[in-house]
Amino acid sequence: MSTPSHRPPDPGSLPREEAARTHELQDLQARLRECGEALALAQAQLRQETEARRVAEGQLRHLAEHDALTGLPNRRVLELCLQQATVQAREQGRLAGVMFLDLDRFKNINDTLGHLMGDRLLQRVAERVRRSLRSGDTVARVGGDEFAVLLPGLDGPAEAARMAGQLIGEVSLPYEIDGLELRLTPSVGIAMFPGHAESAQGLLDEARAAMYQAKAQGRGGYRFFSGHDDLLSSQRLLLESDLHRAIERGEFELHFQPRYELGSGLLCACEALLRWQHPSRGSVSPVEFIPLAEETGLVVAIDEWVLGECCRQIERWTAKGLEICPISLNVSARQFRSLNLLGVLDRVLGETGVDPRLLEVEITETTLMHNTEQAVATLGQLHGLGIKISVDDFGTGYSSLAYLKRFPVDLLKIDRSFVHDLVSDPDDAVIVSAIIGLARSLQLRVVAEGVETREQVDFLRRRGCDEAQGFLFSRPLPPAQLEPLFNRRY
């Protein structure tokens, strides 16, 4: 019996079968590519639609929470922030403040020059107010020419007073719009929590009431809310009375904070800082009494005492045979603008015989920009005496670089608010680097304030900063404790 035999496949059929399978595979791959492209297109369209919806929702949320003209938060956002701030104040045992700001005689500008000009002026005011505040503060537009500012985490009423004074100074400087120079002043009312109202709406109402009290006093100033039994007001009046007598009673003294060259490590200058030892209250913080001195005009007499005491202290050190460094002292805006500054300097230098090259005058950006022609003339006369000029708290104001080139200044002092986080905050690092670069381009020395860590020193040295001062090197010291530091490296 024979077994069946398997016939081999036809050689001609193999290529046809393989070709068919290859064709099917190519078709399948083409369909897969088409499906993949369609899916990718659908995903891209979905992403675009999602992003467009996200942007639209963000725009709607922004419109619901912000003023359309100035871009500031509106009253609704402010009240929510106020509620949170009062809760935090209770938990942390600190204060929260509200400033209510109204622009004096804004209606006259609006009626005379038109609403378009008025709107542009409001935008500029809003920008200045925003720039003058701390990072955690909130400013909102709550009416036509009315703004409210939330100040959380305050240590005391004096801090709110200082910020109000700074805000008034910023807003009161001239505005140039379309070739016109416009001027206006704000009146500011302040209410504190706890101490005044216990609710967000109550704080706003009382701050507004205090603002009207400020207007009644003559506009361009600030007032705390005060009822008949307001403890803050009575304490402030007592402090003002004591401040009047502090000089004649010998209650002021100077401490000196060393400043060092980062390259050599040598002591190169010391900043004179005013201290008030009250007979019953003890040490009174400058944050508390300096704004009061500025508001009452006593700052001029205090400045004159500081200048005289600086020169007398230099005279005492010289008599001991000490090789001393220059002493820098802060001059208030009111003193700098007075016609008496140069006369006081000439008298004190004549009485003490101090070399003017051992003095350095510190003024703020805002002071420089108030009346540039007078500032240039005054600085020129100070330079003519051999006194160096430094711009204090540089970066916190808004000085024009075109103006800065005209001022005969020697140093820029970087404000401590930028130095504090420069190692961890890229924005602060960029600002500090830019100020150092600006100083170098203008052939000015640059000083960093508030230096507290070695990392900050390393950063500043790498960027080419010339000098630094801060708690890392030394706290402000009374004269006797400073003497051993002369001619020593840090």
Side-chain angles (χ1 to χ4, degrees):
M1 187 174 181
S2 62
T3 58
S5 61
H6 295 283
R7 287 188 300 173
D10 183 358
S13 68
L14 287 176
R16 288 196 297 274
E17 291 175 0
E18 291 178 358
R21 284 196 296 273
T22 300
H23 183 69
E24 290 176 359
L25 181 61
Q26 291 172 341
D27 285 346
L28 179 60
Q29 290 174 335
R31 287 197 295 273
L32 285 173
R33 281 196 300 272
E34 290 174 358
C35 289
E37 291 170 355
L39 180 60
L41 179 61
Q43 289 174 334
Q45 290 175 336
L46 180 60
R47 284 195 298 270
Q48 290 177 349
E49 292 173 1
T50 301
E51 177 63 18
R53 186 163 56 249
R54 187 189 67 80
V55 170
E57 289 172 351
Q59 291 174 336
L60 288 173
R61 186 165 54 252
H62 187 273
L63 289 172
E65 297 177 348
H66 290 78
D67 170 57
L69 177 65
T70 63
L72 295 177
N74 58 21
R75 190 186 188 103
R76 174 176 172 271
V77 174
L78 177 71
E79 290 177 350
L80 291 174
C81 293
L82 263 172
Q83 293 169 4
Q84 295 172 358
T86 55
V87 171
Q88 291 174 351
R90 285 193 185 97
E91 293 174 347
Q92 299 172 2
R94 303 183 75 186
L95 298 177
V98 174
M99 293 193 298
F100 199 98
L101 181 152
D102 178 87
L103 302 177
D104 303 328
R105 290 182 286 274
F106 173 79
K107 186 177 184 299
N108 293 343
I109 295 176
N110 217 29
D111 292 345
T112 304
L113 301 177
H115 292 285
L116 180 60
M117 181 66 77
D119 285 349
R120 294 176 65 184
L121 182 57
L122 284 173
Q123 290 170 337
R124 298 280 292 277
V125 169
E127 183 59 29
R128 285 194 187 178
V129 173
R130 183 175 8 199
R131 284 201 311 246
S132 69
L133 300 177
R134 305 169 301 174
S135 59
D137 299 335
T138 302
V139 54
R141 185 183 179 210
V142 294
D145 62 333
E146 295 177 335
F147 301 85
V149 179
L150 167 63
L151 306 171
L154 296 176
D155 294 323
E159 190 174 2
R162 177 185 62 79
M163 296 181 69
Q166 178 179 321
L167 183 63
I168 291 169
E170 294 280 348
V171 175
S172 299
L173 291 168
Y175 301 80
E176 185 175 337
I177 303 177
D178 290 344
L180 294 175
E181 184 177 279
L182 305 178
R183 293 176 181 268
L184 46 73
T185 57
S187 291
V188 177
I190 308 171
M192 304 295 294
F193 173 90
H196 291 144
E198 294 299 315
S199 68
Q201 184 58 53
L203 279 171
L204 281 172
D205 290 344
E206 292 183 352
R208 183 196 290 267
M211 178 270 293
Y212 284 117
Q213 291 174 340
K215 279 186 178 293
Q217 283 188 326
R219 305 172 186 262
Y222 67 85
R223 275 287 302 267
F224 281 92
F225 175 78
S226 58
H228 293 297
D229 302 319
D230 186 41
L231 180 61
L232 294 175
S233 293
S234 62
Q235 288 180 338
R236 185 175 178 279
L237 288 172
L238 288 173
L239 187 64
E240 180 180 338
S241 176
D242 290 344
L243 188 58
H244 275 277
R245 296 190 289 269
I247 295 179
E248 61 188 63
R249 290 178 175 178
E251 295 170 3
F252 286 134
E253 60 184 42
L254 291 182
H255 286 194
F256 299 86
Q257 186 170 32
R259 205 170 81 205
Y260 290 92
E261 283 188 343
L262 290 179
S264 66
L266 288 172
L267 179 70
C268 58
C270 291
E271 181 178 359
L273 298 167
L274 184 63
R275 297 292 182 260
W276 181 11
Q277 289 297 324
H278 192 281
S280 60
R281 299 180 48 165
S283 178
V284 182
S285 170
V287 173
E288 188 172 358
F289 72 81
I290 291 297
L292 183 59
E294 290 176 341
E295 182 187 349
T296 58
L298 289 171
V299 71
V300 174
I302 292 174
D303 277 355
E304 291 182 12
W305 181 88
V306 170
L307 175 59
E309 183 60 20
C310 273
C311 290
R312 287 187 290 271
Q313 185 58 60
I314 292 173
E315 189 179 22
R316 288 190 285 268
W317 280 327
T318 303
K320 290 183 177 182
L322 296 172
E323 267 189 58
I324 63 174
C325 59
I327 304 299
S328 69
L329 61 148
N330 294 276
V331 172
S332 68
R334 190 187 291 256
Q335 176 71 290
F336 183 75
R337 294 168 193 153
S338 75
L339 300 177
N340 196 37
L341 173 60
L342 292 164
V344 172
L345 267 168
D346 187 60
R347 175 178 56 79
V348 172
L349 291 172
E351 291 173 354
T352 59
V354 166
D355 186 342
R357 291 173 296 182
L358 289 175
L359 290 179
E360 179 184 309
V361 168
E362 296 189 14
I363 51 178
T364 64
E365 283 183 276
T366 304
T367 302
L368 283 178
M369 298 302 293
H370 181 75
N371 184 333
T372 55
E373 296 301 326
Q374 181 188 345
V376 169
T378 302
L379 293 179
Q381 290 173 298
L382 292 173
H383 247 239
L385 293 173
I387 296 172
K388 289 187 176 180
I389 310 295
S390 63
V391 181
D392 196 18
D393 299 339
F394 190 80
T396 61
Y398 46 90
S399 58
S400 163
L401 298 187
Y403 281 132
L404 190 58
K405 289 193 300 183
R406 297 176 54 198
F407 296 130
V409 300
D410 303 284
L411 303 98
L412 301 183
K413 298 190 76 175
I414 304 173
D415 186 67
R416 66 185 66 247
S417 63
F418 301 122
V419 175
H420 186 268
D421 295 321
L422 64 81
V423 176
S424 58
D425 189 328
D427 291 337
D428 284 347
V430 169
I431 291 171
V432 170
S433 300
I435 293 175
I436 294 172
L438 169 65
R440 292 212 167 278
S441 67
L442 295 175
Q443 298 182 326
L444 304 176
R445 290 181 70 81
V446 61
V447 183
E449 294 180 296
V451 176
E452 298 180 355
T453 68
R454 289 289 176 186
E455 291 77 12
Q456 292 169 344
V457 170
D458 292 340
F459 178 98
L460 293 165
R461 189 183 285 119
R462 287 196 305 270
R463 296 302 189 279
C465 183
D466 299 295
E467 304 172 19
Q469 71 181 84
F471 287 173
L472 175 65
F473 309 106
S474 175
R475 292 179 176 272
L477 301 170
Q481 294 181 28
L482 180 68
E483 292 173 7
L485 300 184
F486 287 137
N487 301 320
R488 278 173 50 182
R489 299 175 189 272
Y490 65 82

